Amino acid sequence: MTAVPDRAQPRPDAPLTQALAADLDAADFRSEPLRSLWGEEADDALGRGLQEPVLRALHSRDDALATLGRLWVLGMPQPQDAVERALPKAGVAGVVTLGLARVEGATVHPQALIRPQSFVDADGVGEWWIASDLDEAALGAALPADHVLGVGGASRTLAELIIPVPVERALDLGTGCGIQALLVSRHAARVVATDISARALAYAELNAQLNGVHDIEFRLGSLFEPVAGETFDLIVSNPPFVITPRATDVPEYEYRDGGLVGDALVEEFLRHAPAHLAPGGIAQLLGNWESRADAPGLDRVRSWVGDDLDAWVIQREELTPLGYAELWIRDGGTLPRDAEFTSLLSAWLDDFAEREVTAVGFGYILLRRPVTGATVLRRFETVSQPVSNLGRALGAGLAAHDALATGIPDRLVVAQDVTEARHHMPGEDDPSVIELRQGGGFGRTIGVDSALAGFVGACDGELTVGQIVAALADLFDVPLAALWADIEPRIRQLVLDGLLLPAAE
Ligand SMILES: C[S@@+](CC[C@H](N)C(=O)[O-])C[C@H]1O[C@@H](n2cnc3c(N)ncnc32)[C@H](O)[C@@H]1O
């Protein structure tokens, strides 16, 4: 493998990053202008790791946007005079001081990528510039172990999960380039961002400066060490959860591997997070968990969470040990044609075999410290259908759980995104299957019988729940008590899942 040349350390410096931000702004260095500059097809190809279409589109252009695009989006050296022109305020000397570039002869070599990242949250649409380490394409080599990752698929997944409510104190554990800390800073009065990597923290601080965000405190250390004795209203983490064999010759990437055996890092996180949650405080993280011969993955996660906490764990996918090993060996840049692929695969499979791992689950974990006396929510489920706006749906689910503690609301209405599908056997009048379908959030499909379908259909916010059930008991000619015993838990579930909502007073 090619050795990675000595890399500069990012060096945050507020006045210089401000000057750089002014230059990026003046060049219109943002997602849409860049996408229009090289075209949609080239932009999509870049997302798949293909640089050539972008390079062709930029051929012969040396304006500021094209120069900065090649330098920091692609990570390609550029002529110094063109970079000087593109950075009238920060100058080449400025970005060298920031550790974002170095000069060799009359050429500026990028030392980092800077990519515009758009985001959408409750306050609207925005965009940040996010600096991170050069990727494999720019390095022309495998990633070093202390690589600082930019915004990836997992970062976006976590960002979409975060419940968008204002909080006083938030913690982003394992902040990396700082993306989650920036996001939560939009609705938290104070944010602490931690990482075991000084290099990552330097990027995170530089990114906060670059985007004019000043209320984040950066602390170095492992897991909860840097926040000993402190509590938070929100803890978010995209931790280094990738299960990695602890064998020699297996690369230990700081950005994805917490250095423990199997899924112990996720267990460790879940065992320690509760002590750092204020009453009502929520922790949200991504994780992997192993299913072992004697214990399904979700049961193992359940055993890591104290009974006094709300827990909502959503398994999104499950891979076989082989599928998992292949995924992460490829992610590290090693392909089946490379000499070390087979030995890495053996190391992963031996490691899994040692613990009798049958599958590896991936998903989302939410913990909440209930306010005193509340009933505890315990939900461990597999959700494989497409989902959207999960942050909002999770928030609504917690609110529904809290509301149900005092009983089913008197009057209910059907949520606007719910439709009903009826399936009939050919020639039959009565449906053999009735389904309620949720259009947004979890996108759940729930099979109901005619009594429950009749109940939901009558939830107009005018009739009370009691009136509707009494009318149904008459209609189906069944004892009211029996119908209520049968239907009540299913109505609760529909409220918890957000298909039925309390009617406005
Ligand atoms: C997958 S990256 C997540 C980065 C970023 N938060 C995001 O969502 O894109 C995991 C981060 O955890 C950090 N990390 C690794 N081990 C850690 C530990 N024991 N304690 C705290 N952070 C750790 C890594 O340096 C890396 O920045």
Side-chain angles (χ1 to χ4, degrees), residues 149-152 154-155 158 172-180 194-197 200 221-223 238-240 254-258 265:
L149 204 61
V151 176
S155 329
L158 177 64
D172 174 18
L173 193 155
T175 195
C177 64
I179 184 69
Q180 313 297 345
T194 67
D195 207 289
I196 203 169
S197 152
S222 180
L223 289 172
N238 171 11
E254 228 167 22
Y255 70 85
R256 66 177 213 193
D257 166 21
L265 184 114

Side-chain angles (χ1 to χ4, degrees), residues 2-86:
T2 322
V4 178
D6 280 351
R7 295 175 308 155
Q9 173 83 8
R11 288 177 291 270
D13 173 311
L16 273 179
T17 42
Q18 260 168 30
L20 173 59
D23 288 334
L24 296 177
D25 198 35
D28 216 6
F29 187 75
R30 303 202 176 270
S31 309
E32 271 315 311
L34 285 164
R35 191 171 165 84
S36 323
L37 175 69
W38 48 59
E40 273 184 34
E41 198 186 5
D43 199 60
D44 293 344
L46 189 60
R48 301 192 299 275
L50 289 180
Q51 297 195 333
E52 187 55 23
V54 167
L55 284 175
R56 281 173 174 261
L58 296 186
H59 175 68
S60 79
R61 289 197 53 159
D62 66 352
D63 52 285
L65 189 57
T67 301
L68 296 178
R70 276 188 298 250
L71 183 71
W72 281 324
V73 176
L74 301 187
M76 296 184 64
Q78 295 298 296
Q80 183 167 0
D81 55 349
V83 181
E84 271 322 344
R85 279 198 307 279

Side-chain angles (χ1 to χ4, degrees), residues 243-245 261-264 288-298 300 304 315 318-325 347-362:
I243 298 166
T244 310
V261 172
D263 49 20
N288 271 144
W289 41 84
E290 295 176 344
S291 281
R292 300 196 182 151
D294 55 349
L298 282 177
R300 296 185 57 248
W304 300 337
Q315 177 162 290
E318 213 177 26
L319 291 176
T320 61
L322 173 60
Y324 188 87
W348 246 278
L349 295 180
D350 288 348
D351 181 54
F352 282 138
E354 221 160 274
R355 294 184 300 280
E356 295 188 75
V357 174
T358 54
V360 182
F362 164 77

Side-chain angles (χ1 to χ4, degrees), residues 173 223-224 235 237 265-274 285:
L173 193 155
L223 289 172
F224 290 97
I235 300 175
S237 187
L265 184 114
V266 175
E267 175 178 357
E268 182 94 354
F269 188 106
L270 294 184
R271 292 201 189 277
H272 287 95
L285 63 143

Side-chain angles (χ1 to χ4, degrees), residues 145-176:
D146 65 348
H147 176 76
V148 178
L149 204 61
V151 176
S155 329
R156 277 187 280 272
T157 299
L158 177 64
E160 282 167 22
L161 286 182
I162 298 174
I163 299 178
V165 289
V167 292
E168 186 56 32
R169 297 203 69 209
L171 166 66
D172 174 18
L173 193 155
T175 195

